[in-house]
């Protein structure tokens, strides 16, 4: 079952459980910095496997040693529990 | 030795040797489409290894099964031979 869109109060509460993420309307975003270019790429490989397993795919912008992730649930038209689950997984893998 | 910035005529000539790339001022860009999300991620792994070997790193924007690459040589303030070499390598790996 697809998760449903969260309300503002639920989003604010969920934001307290993740660190370094910023909310921008219907998405949350964070820039991850790595020591080396290939460290960021290796992290993306692990994130991609997790994303595929969760069937929830992050937007990822690679800029040398920095990778900016943006999460949103397009099918729900906003933020859902899946976004926060994936954010936690990305943090754990970094 | 770092490659030097190419002039407009050299850029136009170099563009004829690559397919599907668009010039936008000081950069060239192309969106690669893959059948599956993990196909694009696997391609990025191969591109990253080539980029590291060439010491020239592309900007890569991952949007599910599509990856947009943007190439420019910031140290030269424009497009250089390195950008076109990397573009060819990325095409060959796709």
């Amino acid at each position: 079952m697809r998760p449903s869109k969260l309300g503002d109060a639920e989003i604010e509460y969920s934001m307290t459980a993740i660190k370094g993420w910023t909310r921008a309307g219907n998405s949350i975003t964070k820039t991850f910095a790595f020591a080396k270019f290939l460290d960021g790429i290796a992290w993306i490989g692990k994130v991609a496997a997790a994303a595929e397993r969760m069937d929830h795919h992050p937007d990822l912008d690679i800029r040398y040693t920095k990778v900016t992730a943006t999460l949103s649930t397009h099918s729900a038209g906003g933020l859902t529990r899946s976004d926060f689950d994936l954010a936690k997984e990305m943090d754990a893998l970094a």
Side-chain angles (χ1 to χ4, degrees), chain A residues 66-86:
Chain A
K66 294 200 169 97
V67 182
T68 297
T70 305
L71 310 182
S72 186
T73 306
H74 303 290
S75 59
L79 286 161
T80 66
R81 193 188 171 107
S82 295
D83 298 305
F84 292 96
D85 288 346
L86 181 54

Side-chain angles (χ1 to χ4, degrees), chain A residues 10-88:
Chain A
E10 291 166 304
I11 291 170
E12 277 166 44
Y13 180 75
S14 302
M15 292 295 292
T16 64
I18 51 175
K19 289 214 170 82
W21 290 83
T22 306
R23 182 184 176 190
N26 280 336
S27 64
I28 52 172
T29 185
K30 180 175 178 176
T31 297
F32 293 81
F34 299 89
K36 295 179 182 177
F37 173 66
L38 291 183
D39 293 343
I41 300 297
W43 173 76
I44 285 175
K46 289 184 277 185
V47 164
E52 190 71 2
R53 181 166 34 80
M54 297 165 83
D55 193 21
H56 194 56
H57 302 84
D59 287 351
L60 294 166
D61 293 354
I62 305 169
R63 297 293 180 273
Y64 193 38
T65 57
K66 294 200 169 97
V67 182
T68 297
T70 305
L71 310 182
S72 186
T73 306
H74 303 290
S75 59
L79 286 161
T80 66
R81 193 188 171 107
S82 295
D83 298 305
F84 292 96
D85 288 346
L86 181 54
K88 279 176 205 161

